[in-house]
Amino acid sequence: MSHFLCLVLHAHLPFVRHPEHDRFLEENWLYEAVAETYLPLLGNLAAWEREGLPGRLTLTLSPTLCAMLRDPLLMRRCARYLEERVELAEREAHRTRWDPRQPLALFYEQRFRETRDLFAALKGDLTGAFRGFQDRGRIEIITCSATHAVLPLLADDPPALRAQLLAARDDYQVCFGRPPRGLWLPECAYTPALDPFLKEAGLRWFILDSHGLLHASPRPRYAVFAPILTENGLAAFGRDLESARQVWSRHEGYPGDPRYREFYRDAGYDLDLEYLRPFLAAPEHRGFTGIKYHRVSGKSGKKELYLRADALQAADTHARHFVAARAAQADRLGALFARSAVIVCPYDAELFGHWWYEGPEFLDRIVRLMALKPSGLQLATPAECLREQPLNQVATPAASSWGEGGHWQMWVHPANAWIHPHLRIAQARMTELAGRGESPDAVANRALRQAGRELLLAQASDWPFILRTGTSPEYAQRRVTRHLARFTQLYDQLTRGPVAAASLAAMESQDNLFPELDCSHWRAAL
């Protein structure tokens, strides 16, 4: 009996676009992810396709990420970022010529050149490249809510919930030429009230954290190793706990191995500021350059020199352990189940390459080892598992998320609770505006769409998350207050008149995602 291993990578970043500045620090979140995660993943996919390897992956590309990857301004800036990494690495290769770090500097010079050249070969069209792999049956791309809003927090406001899902569906159709079948629930956050809206959006399956399935009613016969069907016919897959610990756990996870590259020790904090200034997003503030000379090095506190060959050996060892563990798991489950087991391994895509530098090599080794089909285990997408095994238990998943505490207190916390009353007011006002229908005034219709964009952006889960963790709280607060203020300004103009065309154009220029946003999504809900 064959069993299924589903690797699911969730690629998402908040929408950050600041044309009013030549450089903007938070835009680097995108450029770093392109250089260290998305382009290496595309390189892996191309190699697997050339060699005929069964590299079947499921990949979320969130609507906000797709909007940035398709934006000409951001992609020009990304090309500049990649070119600057090459220049900095060249300087480092010269500066370290009598230094033990020179082999690493030369490695970075080569790596950045390859990354830059791949970006140029793709003409900066990463979304199109991923679409090509989907069209050729190599991957399945799924969507999430429009701006990664935590959907259970919208469950008591059907028009707002509906708009998040239908705007995402529409955007996916534009990007990938077909409707989405799967959905990554932002933060894996689910409550049964979402079900009718997921069905309306034409979705067929989604992923939950383990306890969302384990505490379903009635209890699933096969635990998390088979999907369950909700009363609306949607399939819910559960995250496998064992594989999650092996990759995610800060105590026992693979990325903590002392041979791997240390993320936080970057040349941007070690070298002279004047030397670095041309390569920094904020020239007066230090930041990551992507050149890191040290490895994790254990718990002593002293960071030793990164040895690339040792790190690659660690990635090979961990990939072998991962595949062997999944094969042993499948053998155990096969002895218990009268059906094929499904082992679902969902991870943030940015873990592989950005946070865990050797992550792309780890994935590559898994695919190559899986080509040997250990214990009949094969890579598959959740959609393929449903086609193979369409008959599944009907049950109601439990309210859950993979956030802190297993629910949504990360996004409803004293550090960010102030956001929610303002959102509720704006959501009610957007439903009011949408209920009026189209206007004969083209400028008013533009203003209505822009109000929708500002509301969607204010609902993003990223801002309360950042406020809770304290990583960039000033920026997150500015973003929420800016979007809410713009929405309020547009609401006042639409209800009292007239619309200020110049300020509207400025908003459209900056927050330019979802160009054909359908505001009827905010009208009568189910």
Side-chain angles (χ1 to χ4, degrees), residues 23 41 50 67 85 125 156 161 164 167 195 247 289 294 298 317 329 343 370 382 459 478 516-517:
R23 295 175 184 267
L41 178 57
R50 283 195 307 271
R85 298 313 99 180
D125 184 12
D156 61 351
L161 173 57
Q164 275 282 346
D195 246 43
V247 174
T289 64
H294 299 85
T317 300
Q329 218 176 350
I343 302 172
M370 288 294 298
Q459 291 170 331
R478 286 201 308 272
E516 301 301 324
L517 182 63

PDB file of all heavy atoms in Angstrom, residues 23 41 50 67 85 125 156 161 164 167 195 247 289 294 298 317 329 343 370 382 459 478 516-517:
ATOM      1  N   ARG A  23      14.696  54.315  -1.077  1.00  0.00           N
ATOM      2  CA  ARG A  23      14.970  53.081  -0.349  1.00  0.00           C
ATOM      3  C   ARG A  23      14.106  53.074   0.900  1.00  0.00           C
ATOM      4  O   ARG A  23      13.884  54.124   1.514  1.00  0.00           O
ATOM      5  CB  ARG A  23      16.453  52.978   0.060  1.00  0.00           C
ATOM      6  CG  ARG A  23      17.415  52.873  -1.117  1.00  0.00           C
ATOM      7  CD  ARG A  23      18.862  52.903  -0.646  1.00  0.00           C
ATOM      8  NE  ARG A  23      19.794  52.898  -1.747  1.00  0.00           N
ATOM      9  CZ  ARG A  23      20.342  51.804  -2.277  1.00  0.00           C
ATOM     10  NH1 ARG A  23      20.045  50.613  -1.764  1.00  0.00           N
ATOM     11  NH2 ARG A  23      21.182  51.874  -3.289  1.00  0.00           N
ATOM     12  N   LEU A  41      14.174  28.228  -4.443  1.00  0.00           N
ATOM     13  CA  LEU A  41      13.110  27.241  -4.660  1.00  0.00           C
ATOM     14  C   LEU A  41      12.859  27.044  -6.147  1.00  0.00           C
ATOM     15  O   LEU A  41      12.700  25.907  -6.621  1.00  0.00           O
ATOM     16  CB  LEU A  41      11.839  27.693  -3.947  1.00  0.00           C
ATOM     17  CG  LEU A  41      10.608  26.784  -4.120  1.00  0.00           C
ATOM     18  CD1 LEU A  41      10.904  25.359  -3.662  1.00  0.00           C
ATOM     19  CD2 LEU A  41       9.424  27.355  -3.365  1.00  0.00           C
ATOM     20  N   ARG A  50      14.230  19.053 -14.823  1.00  0.00           N
ATOM     21  CA  ARG A  50      15.227  18.601 -15.809  1.00  0.00           C
ATOM     22  C   ARG A  50      15.578  17.135 -15.615  1.00  0.00           C
ATOM     23  O   ARG A  50      15.768  16.394 -16.574  1.00  0.00           O
ATOM     24  CB  ARG A  50      16.509  19.442 -15.706  1.00  0.00           C
ATOM     25  CG  ARG A  50      16.448  20.808 -16.318  1.00  0.00           C
ATOM     26  CD  ARG A  50      17.847  21.388 -16.478  1.00  0.00           C
ATOM     27  NE  ARG A  50      18.619  21.368 -15.231  1.00  0.00           N
ATOM     28  CZ  ARG A  50      18.613  22.355 -14.331  1.00  0.00           C
ATOM     29  NH1 ARG A  50      17.868  23.440 -14.541  1.00  0.00           N
ATOM     30  NH2 ARG A  50      19.341  22.267 -13.242  1.00  0.00           N
ATOM     31  N   ALA A  67       1.172  40.393  -5.401  1.00  0.00           N
ATOM     32  CA  ALA A  67       1.090  41.795  -5.826  1.00  0.00           C
ATOM     33  C   ALA A  67       2.466  42.432  -5.849  1.00  0.00           C
ATOM     34  O   ALA A  67       2.806  43.190  -6.777  1.00  0.00           O
ATOM     35  CB  ALA A  67       0.156  42.564  -4.892  1.00  0.00           C
ATOM     36  N   ARG A  85      24.252  43.197  -3.804  1.00  0.00           N
ATOM     37  CA  ARG A  85      24.822  42.068  -3.061  1.00  0.00           C
ATOM     38  C   ARG A  85      26.070  41.557  -3.780  1.00  0.00           C
ATOM     39  O   ARG A  85      27.067  41.209  -3.119  1.00  0.00           O
ATOM     40  CB  ARG A  85      23.823  40.906  -2.959  1.00  0.00           C
ATOM     41  CG  ARG A  85      22.521  41.144  -2.227  1.00  0.00           C
ATOM     42  CD  ARG A  85      22.676  41.828  -0.898  1.00  0.00           C
ATOM     43  NE  ARG A  85      22.398  43.249  -1.073  1.00  0.00           N
ATOM     44  CZ  ARG A  85      22.442  44.154  -0.101  1.00  0.00           C
ATOM     45  NH1 ARG A  85      22.778  43.802   1.124  1.00  0.00           N
ATOM     46  NH2 ARG A  85      22.160  45.421  -0.331  1.00  0.00           N
ATOM     47  N   ASP A 125      10.051  37.917 -13.333  1.00  0.00           N
ATOM     48  CA  ASP A 125       8.671  37.424 -13.254  1.00  0.00           C
ATOM     49  C   ASP A 125       8.635  36.109 -12.480  1.00  0.00           C
ATOM     50  O   ASP A 125       8.466  35.029 -13.050  1.00  0.00           O
ATOM     51  CB  ASP A 125       8.099  37.244 -14.664  1.00  0.00           C
ATOM     52  CG  ASP A 125       6.627  36.824 -14.641  1.00  0.00           C
ATOM     53  OD1 ASP A 125       5.996  36.900 -13.567  1.00  0.00           O
ATOM     54  OD2 ASP A 125       6.117  36.419 -15.701  1.00  0.00           O
ATOM     55  N   ASP A 156     -17.867  37.187  12.831  1.00  0.00           N
ATOM     56  CA  ASP A 156     -19.119  37.866  13.202  1.00  0.00           C
ATOM     57  C   ASP A 156     -19.445  39.024  12.271  1.00  0.00           C
ATOM     58  O   ASP A 156     -20.365  39.795  12.527  1.00  0.00           O
ATOM     59  CB  ASP A 156     -19.056  38.354  14.653  1.00  0.00           C
ATOM     60  CG  ASP A 156     -17.942  39.366  14.882  1.00  0.00           C
ATOM     61  OD1 ASP A 156     -17.115  39.555  13.967  1.00  0.00           O
ATOM     62  OD2 ASP A 156     -17.890  39.958  15.980  1.00  0.00           O
ATOM     63  N   LEU A 161     -15.627  39.079   6.024  1.00  0.00           N
ATOM     64  CA  LEU A 161     -15.067  37.747   5.815  1.00  0.00           C
ATOM     65  C   LEU A 161     -15.177  37.348   4.343  1.00  0.00           C
ATOM     66  O   LEU A 161     -14.217  36.857   3.732  1.00  0.00           O
ATOM     67  CB  LEU A 161     -15.812  36.745   6.703  1.00  0.00           C
ATOM     68  CG  LEU A 161     -15.500  35.267   6.514  1.00  0.00           C
ATOM     69  CD1 LEU A 161     -14.019  34.993   6.693  1.00  0.00           C
ATOM     70  CD2 LEU A 161     -16.325  34.429   7.487  1.00  0.00           C
ATOM     71  N   GLN A 164     -12.628  39.184   2.076  1.00  0.00           N
ATOM     72  CA  GLN A 164     -11.263  38.669   2.174  1.00  0.00           C
ATOM     73  C   GLN A 164     -11.082  37.425   1.313  1.00  0.00           C
ATOM     74  O   GLN A 164     -10.054  37.255   0.643  1.00  0.00           O
ATOM     75  CB  GLN A 164     -10.919  38.353   3.635  1.00  0.00           C
ATOM     76  CG  GLN A 164     -10.417  39.534   4.449  1.00  0.00           C
ATOM     77  CD  GLN A 164      -8.955  39.866   4.173  1.00  0.00           C
ATOM     78  OE1 GLN A 164      -8.216  39.083   3.577  1.00  0.00           O
ATOM     79  NE2 GLN A 164      -8.535  41.052   4.598  1.00  0.00           N
ATOM     80  N   ALA A 167     -11.946  38.298  -2.761  1.00  0.00           N
ATOM     81  CA  ALA A 167     -10.883  39.097  -3.381  1.00  0.00           C
ATOM     82  C   ALA A 167      -9.653  38.228  -3.639  1.00  0.00           C
ATOM     83  O   ALA A 167      -8.981  38.371  -4.667  1.00  0.00           O
ATOM     84  CB  ALA A 167     -10.530  40.286  -2.494  1.00  0.00           C
ATOM     85  N   ASP A 195     -16.980  27.921   7.229  1.00  0.00           N
ATOM     86  CA  ASP A 195     -17.243  26.918   6.203  1.00  0.00           C
ATOM     87  C   ASP A 195     -18.105  27.385   5.028  1.00  0.00           C
ATOM     88  O   ASP A 195     -17.736  27.178   3.861  1.00  0.00           O
ATOM     89  CB  ASP A 195     -17.870  25.685   6.848  1.00  0.00           C
ATOM     90  CG  ASP A 195     -16.951  24.488   6.754  1.00  0.00           C
ATOM     91  OD1 ASP A 195     -15.742  24.661   6.990  1.00  0.00           O
ATOM     92  OD2 ASP A 195     -17.446  23.405   6.398  1.00  0.00           O
ATOM     93  N   VAL A 247      11.456  19.942  12.460  1.00  0.00           N
ATOM     94  CA  VAL A 247      11.881  21.105  11.676  1.00  0.00           C
ATOM     95  C   VAL A 247      11.710  22.406  12.466  1.00  0.00           C
ATOM     96  O   VAL A 247      12.567  23.293  12.412  1.00  0.00           O
ATOM     97  CB  VAL A 247      11.106  21.162  10.344  1.00  0.00           C
ATOM     98  CG1 VAL A 247      11.428  22.445   9.581  1.00  0.00           C
ATOM     99  CG2 VAL A 247      11.441  19.944   9.488  1.00  0.00           C
ATOM    100  N   THR A 289      22.919  42.210   5.497  1.00  0.00           N
ATOM    101  CA  THR A 289      23.478  42.281   4.142  1.00  0.00           C
ATOM    102  C   THR A 289      23.360  40.957   3.402  1.00  0.00           C
ATOM    103  O   THR A 289      23.538  40.910   2.190  1.00  0.00           O
ATOM    104  CB  THR A 289      24.970  42.651   4.198  1.00  0.00           C
ATOM    105  OG1 THR A 289      25.688  41.598   4.860  1.00  0.00           O
ATOM    106  CG2 THR A 289      25.185  43.962   4.950  1.00  0.00           C
ATOM    107  N   HIS A 294      29.516  33.317  10.220  1.00  0.00           N
ATOM    108  CA  HIS A 294      29.562  32.471  11.397  1.00  0.00           C
ATOM    109  C   HIS A 294      28.488  31.391  11.371  1.00  0.00           C
ATOM    110  O   HIS A 294      27.483  31.508  10.677  1.00  0.00           O
ATOM    111  CB  HIS A 294      29.426  33.318  12.665  1.00  0.00           C
ATOM    112  CG  HIS A 294      30.532  34.316  12.827  1.00  0.00           C
ATOM    113  ND1 HIS A 294      30.502  35.565  12.225  1.00  0.00           N
ATOM    114  CD2 HIS A 294      31.715  34.237  13.498  1.00  0.00           C
ATOM    115  CE1 HIS A 294      31.619  36.215  12.529  1.00  0.00           C
ATOM    116  NE2 HIS A 294      32.365  35.445  13.294  1.00  0.00           N
ATOM    117  N   GLY A 298      26.732  25.974  18.646  1.00  0.00           N
ATOM    118  CA  GLY A 298      26.394  25.452  19.963  1.00  0.00           C
ATOM    119  C   GLY A 298      25.984  26.516  20.947  1.00  0.00           C
ATOM    120  O   GLY A 298      25.610  27.617  20.580  1.00  0.00           O
ATOM    121  N   THR A 317      22.437  14.818   6.180  1.00  0.00           N
ATOM    122  CA  THR A 317      22.127  13.933   7.311  1.00  0.00           C
ATOM    123  C   THR A 317      20.696  14.144   7.790  1.00  0.00           C
ATOM    124  O   THR A 317      19.967  13.177   8.054  1.00  0.00           O
ATOM    125  CB  THR A 317      23.111  14.189   8.466  1.00  0.00           C
ATOM    126  OG1 THR A 317      24.444  13.924   8.015  1.00  0.00           O
ATOM    127  CG2 THR A 317      22.790  13.318   9.676  1.00  0.00           C
ATOM    128  N   GLN A 329       7.220   6.046   9.973  1.00  0.00           N
ATOM    129  CA  GLN A 329       5.878   6.470  10.343  1.00  0.00           C
ATOM    130  C   GLN A 329       4.838   5.800   9.442  1.00  0.00           C
ATOM    131  O   GLN A 329       3.815   5.275   9.910  1.00  0.00           O
ATOM    132  CB  GLN A 329       5.797   7.996  10.185  1.00  0.00           C
ATOM    133  CG  GLN A 329       4.997   8.728  11.224  1.00  0.00           C
ATOM    134  CD  GLN A 329       5.083  10.243  11.008  1.00  0.00           C
ATOM    135  OE1 GLN A 329       5.878  10.740  10.212  1.00  0.00           O
ATOM    136  NE2 GLN A 329       4.254  10.966  11.726  1.00  0.00           N
ATOM    137  N   ILE A 343       0.589  12.080   5.399  1.00  0.00           N
ATOM    138  CA  ILE A 343       1.416  12.810   6.364  1.00  0.00           C
ATOM    139  C   ILE A 343       1.619  14.217   5.816  1.00  0.00           C
ATOM    140  O   ILE A 343       2.260  14.399   4.775  1.00  0.00           O
ATOM    141  CB  ILE A 343       2.766  12.111   6.578  1.00  0.00           C
ATOM    142  CG1 ILE A 343       2.549  10.667   7.054  1.00  0.00           C
ATOM    143  CG2 ILE A 343       3.613  12.879   7.584  1.00  0.00           C
ATOM    144  CD1 ILE A 343       3.821   9.838   7.105  1.00  0.00           C
ATOM    145  N   MET A 370      13.327  10.778  -1.851  1.00  0.00           N
ATOM    146  CA  MET A 370      11.963  10.290  -2.066  1.00  0.00           C
ATOM    147  C   MET A 370      11.799   9.633  -3.429  1.00  0.00           C
ATOM    148  O   MET A 370      10.887   8.834  -3.639  1.00  0.00           O
ATOM    149  CB  MET A 370      10.963  11.433  -1.931  1.00  0.00           C
ATOM    150  CG  MET A 370      10.764  11.931  -0.496  1.00  0.00           C
ATOM    151  SD  MET A 370       9.997  10.700   0.554  1.00  0.00           S
ATOM    152  CE  MET A 370       8.429  10.491  -0.256  1.00  0.00           C
ATOM    153  N   PRO A 382      -2.207  17.659  -1.372  1.00  0.00           N
ATOM    154  CA  PRO A 382      -3.491  17.286  -0.773  1.00  0.00           C
ATOM    155  C   PRO A 382      -4.576  17.022  -1.812  1.00  0.00           C
ATOM    156  O   PRO A 382      -5.398  16.108  -1.634  1.00  0.00           O
ATOM    157  CB  PRO A 382      -3.815  18.499   0.108  1.00  0.00           C
ATOM    158  CG  PRO A 382      -2.473  19.020   0.515  1.00  0.00           C
ATOM    159  CD  PRO A 382      -1.616  18.846  -0.708  1.00  0.00           C
ATOM    160  N   GLN A 459      -6.663  45.077   7.763  1.00  0.00           N
ATOM    161  CA  GLN A 459      -7.052  43.815   8.388  1.00  0.00           C
ATOM    162  C   GLN A 459      -5.932  42.788   8.420  1.00  0.00           C
ATOM    163  O   GLN A 459      -6.098  41.721   9.033  1.00  0.00           O
ATOM    164  CB  GLN A 459      -8.239  43.212   7.622  1.00  0.00           C
ATOM    165  CG  GLN A 459      -9.534  43.983   7.758  1.00  0.00           C
ATOM    166  CD  GLN A 459     -10.597  43.484   6.795  1.00  0.00           C
ATOM    167  OE1 GLN A 459     -10.287  42.979   5.715  1.00  0.00           O
ATOM    168  NE2 GLN A 459     -11.863  43.618   7.174  1.00  0.00           N
ATOM    169  N   ARG A 478       2.166  52.504  12.428  1.00  0.00           N
ATOM    170  CA  ARG A 478       1.974  53.495  11.368  1.00  0.00           C
ATOM    171  C   ARG A 478       1.130  52.929  10.233  1.00  0.00           C
ATOM    172  O   ARG A 478       0.264  53.621   9.695  1.00  0.00           O
ATOM    173  CB  ARG A 478       3.335  53.953  10.804  1.00  0.00           C
ATOM    174  CG  ARG A 478       4.108  54.881  11.713  1.00  0.00           C
ATOM    175  CD  ARG A 478       5.146  55.678  10.919  1.00  0.00           C
ATOM    176  NE  ARG A 478       6.018  54.856  10.108  1.00  0.00           N
ATOM    177  CZ  ARG A 478       7.154  54.321  10.546  1.00  0.00           C
ATOM    178  NH1 ARG A 478       7.531  54.500  11.811  1.00  0.00           N
ATOM    179  NH2 ARG A 478       7.911  53.602   9.743  1.00  0.00           N
ATOM    180  N   GLU A 516      -8.506  45.524  -9.911  1.00  0.00           N
ATOM    181  CA  GLU A 516      -9.901  45.365 -10.339  1.00  0.00           C
ATOM    182  C   GLU A 516     -10.771  44.876  -9.177  1.00  0.00           C
ATOM    183  O   GLU A 516     -11.693  44.078  -9.374  1.00  0.00           O
ATOM    184  CB  GLU A 516      -9.981  44.391 -11.517  1.00  0.00           C
ATOM    185  CG  GLU A 516      -9.174  44.815 -12.731  1.00  0.00           C
ATOM    186  CD  GLU A 516      -9.613  46.174 -13.277  1.00  0.00           C
ATOM    187  OE1 GLU A 516     -10.830  46.464 -13.245  1.00  0.00           O
ATOM    188  OE2 GLU A 516      -8.736  46.925 -13.736  1.00  0.00           O
ATOM    189  N   LEU A 517     -10.510  45.356  -7.995  1.00  0.00           N
ATOM    190  CA  LEU A 517     -11.237  44.910  -6.805  1.00  0.00           C
ATOM    191  C   LEU A 517     -12.743  45.061  -6.995  1.00  0.00           C
ATOM    192  O   LEU A 517     -13.240  46.124  -7.379  1.00  0.00           O
ATOM    193  CB  LEU A 517     -10.772  45.725  -5.592  1.00  0.00           C
ATOM    194  CG  LEU A 517     -11.399  45.354  -4.243  1.00  0.00           C
ATOM    195  CD1 LEU A 517     -11.042  43.931  -3.845  1.00  0.00           C
ATOM    196  CD2 LEU A 517     -10.940  46.343  -3.167  1.00  0.00           C
TER     197      LEU A 517
END
